[in-house]
Amino acid sequence: MKIVVPSPPGGSTDQLARLMATRLQEIWGQTVLVEYRPGAGLTLGADFVAKSPPDGYTILMAAVHHSIAPAVYRKLPYNIAKDLLPVTTLAIVPNVLIVPASLPANNVQELIALAKARPGALSYGSTGAGTAHHLIGEQFNEMAGTDILHVAYKGSAPAITDMLGGQITMMFDTIPSCLPFIKAGRVKALAVATAKRSATLPEVPTLSEAGLAGFDIATWFGFMVPAGTPASVVEKINRDALRVLGQPETRAQLLAIGADPVGDTPAQMGERISSETLKFKALAAKANLSLD
C-alpha cells in the first residue's frame, strides 16, 4: 500500500503522511510506503491517485490546496468531485507568517511598513501557485495594502531554504514545517492566519489581532482515494485512520507539531471540500487569480 504525498519531503504533508503510514502499517500488518509526486500546486499527485486502480491500495494525502485547485485552475486533469472520494480529515493546522531572524521587522505592522516603504521589493514564498499559502499571501496584500511579490515553489521545504538563504523575504507556512526553525531562532513567527491563536505558539498573535481584522485561513489534511473504491474499503480506511487518531501517542505527536487531530466521516470531509471550494472561488476572483 502507498500514501501519495503531492509535495516534496520535509513539509507538513510529508510529516503527517509518514506518521499515519507508520501507525497504519502496525494495524494492517503490511508495508505502507510514502511516495512523493510534487508539482503543479499539489495537483500532480492528486491526478496520479485519481487515475490509480480503485482498490484501496493507493491513498492521496490530500490538503486544503485540493479544495482550492478547482477555484484557481482553468483546467485540471481530474475532477475532485468525480474522480476522488473523501475518506477522512486527519488534522487542521494553522498557517503562520514567518520571516528570517535578520529581517528588520518584529511584528506585522513593522513588516507592512517595510513593504510599503519598498513597494515590489519584498517577496513571499508559497508551496505552489494556487495553493493555500499563495491565496493567504494575496489576502494579506489586499488587506494590508502592500505589493509583496509571490514566488511559487514545489513545497514548503524548498521555500524555507530559500528564505533562510535570503532569496525571498517571508512566507506563510504550516506550523509543523517551520516549528523547528522557529524554536532554533532562525525565523521569527509574526502571526498566525487563523481566527484563534495556536496552542503550539500561544505567544504569537493572530493576523486579526495584528490589525488585519477577520483574517482566517487554516490548512487541513486528509485521506482521499480513487473514485470507484468499494464503500467497504473506504469505511475500513476511515475506521482505521480514526483508530490511529484516537491513540494518545498519536494525538500527542500531532499536537507537538502544531496539528489539531480531527477524524470525521467521508460525508463530512466532502462537505468541507465543497464549502471551501466556494470560499476560495470568491477569493481567487477577488485576486484575479486564474491559472492554466
Side-chain angles (χ1 to χ4, degrees):
M1 297 191 69
K2 60 187 173 187
I3 297 175
V4 175
V5 173
S7 55
S12 299
T13 319
D14 178 32
Q15 291 183 51
L16 290 169
R18 286 187 283 109
L19 172 59
M20 293 302 297
T22 299
R23 300 297 187 197
L24 289 172
Q25 186 167 283
E26 296 168 355
I27 293 175
W28 292 337
Q30 60 178 299
T31 301
V32 181
L33 302 175
V34 174
E35 182 174 307
Y36 303 97
R37 290 183 175 270
L42 280 72
T43 62
L44 291 184
D47 183 48
F48 173 80
V49 174
K51 292 177 171 58
S52 295
D55 53 15
Y57 281 83
T58 304
I59 302 171
L60 173 66
M61 189 65 191
V64 65
H65 314 293
H66 295 112
S67 61
I68 295 173
V72 299
Y73 284 94
R74 284 188 288 270
K75 295 181 180 179
L76 281 175
Y78 66 94
N79 184 313
I80 192 171
K82 296 180 179 179
D83 300 329
L84 291 164
L85 295 176
V87 178
T88 187
T89 308
L90 298 170
I92 297 289
V93 180
N95 296 289
V96 59
L97 167 56
I98 54 174
V99 299
S102 59
L103 192 75
N106 294 309
N107 56 55
V108 172
Q109 290 305 317
E110 289 181 0
L111 176 64
I112 292 173
L114 183 64
K116 288 183 175 180
R118 301 167 58 191
L122 274 60
S123 58
Y124 74 93
S126 78
T127 52
T131 62
H133 302 130
H134 181 187
L135 288 179
I136 291 172
E138 291 303 309
Q139 180 83 347
F140 182 91
N141 270 331
E142 180 182 340
M143 295 181 71
T146 52
D147 179 22
I148 303 173
L149 177 68
H150 171 237
V151 181
Y153 291 84
K154 288 186 176 181
S156 62
I160 289 179
T161 298
D162 269 12
M163 187 181 71
L164 293 173
Q167 279 74 44
I168 56 175
T169 312
M170 54 183 267
M171 65 179 293
F172 295 90
D173 197 13
T174 49
I175 290 178
S177 298
C178 61
L179 188 59
F181 300 98
I182 295 172
K183 289 183 174 180
R186 300 184 67 187
V187 303
K188 294 181 286 192
L190 301 189
V192 292
T194 42
K196 296 181 179 180
R197 292 194 182 198
S198 165
T200 307
L201 299 170
E203 72 285 357
V204 178
T206 66
L207 281 170
S208 189
E209 290 173 331
L212 305 184
F215 207 116
D216 181 20
I217 301 179
T219 293
W220 59 262
F221 296 93
F223 281 164
M224 300 188 82
V225 293
T229 301
S232 59
V233 175
V234 174
E235 290 170 6
K236 176 173 175 54
I237 298 173
N238 174 276
R239 181 174 64 250
D240 292 339
L242 266 60
R243 178 179 167 187
V244 169
L245 293 174
Q247 295 171 346
E249 59 270 30
T250 301
R251 295 185 67 82
Q253 282 182 280
L254 289 172
L255 292 171
I257 61 173
D260 297 322
V262 180
D264 54 11
T265 67
Q268 289 169 328
M269 184 184 184
E271 290 171 4
R272 180 191 301 277
I273 292 171
S274 297
S275 64
E276 289 203 345
T277 297
L278 290 175
K279 178 180 77 173
F280 286 118
K281 278 184 177 178
L283 182 55
K286 191 181 298 183
N288 196 28
L289 179 60
S290 182
L291 304 172
D292 291 324

